[in-house]
Amino acid sequence: QVRLADSGGDSVQTGGSLTLSCAVSKFCYANCCLGWFRQILGKQREGVASIYNSGGFTYYADSVKGRFTIYQENGNAITLRMNNLEPEDTAMYYCAARWGGSRDACEAFAAFSDWGQGTQVTVSS
C-alpha cells in the first residue's frame, strides 16, 4: 500500500506564505504524476498543482498561477510553495499520486490513485 504523508498546513494572514510538503512511500521513476488538491468543506475537491515526473512538466489551476509553485524534491517527495495567500485559499490540502498515464492526464488532474491524509491551510483577512 502506498502511503503519502502531507504536512505544513497552518494559519496565516492574507498575503502570507506557506510551504506544504509530501513524502511518498513509493519511488516515482518515470511517467508518474504527483500533485496537490484542495477541498473546501461542502465543495468538490479541486486540483491545484501537479508535476509530471518525465520531463518535469508542471501544471496549475488558474486561481493559483503565479502564486503557487510545485517542486519535486526527488523521486518520492514534493513541495508546494504558496505565496500571496488569500482567504479563498483556505481549504484542506491533499497530496496525491498516480502511477503511469499520460502527461495530458496529469495536466487534467485526472485519475489519481493514492492520497495523503490532508493538511489544513487557513488564511485570515
Side-chain angles (χ1 to χ4, degrees), residues 65-96:
K65 281 180 182 176
R67 300 188 298 121
F68 291 13
T69 306
I70 186 169
Y71 298 97
Q72 185 164 353
E73 304 293 333
N74 51 44
N76 60 351
I78 57 171
T79 61
L80 183 69
R81 177 65 178 173
M82 305 186 295
N83 294 324
N84 196 21
L85 283 161
E86 304 168 350
E88 292 74 23
D89 297 316
T90 295
M92 185 71 80
Y93 284 71
Y94 300 87
C95 68

Side-chain angles (χ1 to χ4, degrees), residues 29-99:
Y29 289 98
N31 299 332
C32 60
C33 181
L34 303 176
W36 290 95
F37 291 71
R38 67 186 181 187
Q39 187 169 24
I40 300 169
L41 194 62
K43 294 191 177 182
Q44 275 194 322
R45 191 175 297 185
E46 62 173 352
V48 174
S50 61
I51 183 164
Y52 190 66
N53 173 268
S54 298
F57 296 96
T58 57
Y59 306 100
Y60 297 94
D62 288 343
S63 59
V64 307
K65 281 180 182 176
R67 300 188 298 121
F68 291 13
T69 306
I70 186 169
Y71 298 97
Q72 185 164 353
E73 304 293 333
N74 51 44
N76 60 351
I78 57 171
T79 61
L80 183 69
R81 177 65 178 173
M82 305 186 295
N83 294 324
N84 196 21
L85 283 161
E86 304 168 350
E88 292 74 23
D89 297 316
T90 295
M92 185 71 80
Y93 284 71
Y94 300 87
C95 68
R98 56 170 291 157
W99 314 99

Side-chain angles (χ1 to χ4, degrees), residues 7-28:
S7 62
D10 205 344
S11 296
V12 297
Q13 292 190 325
T14 298
S17 298
L18 281 175
T19 298
L20 305 183
S21 299
C22 177
V24 186
S25 64
K26 178 178 176 178
F27 199 88
C28 174

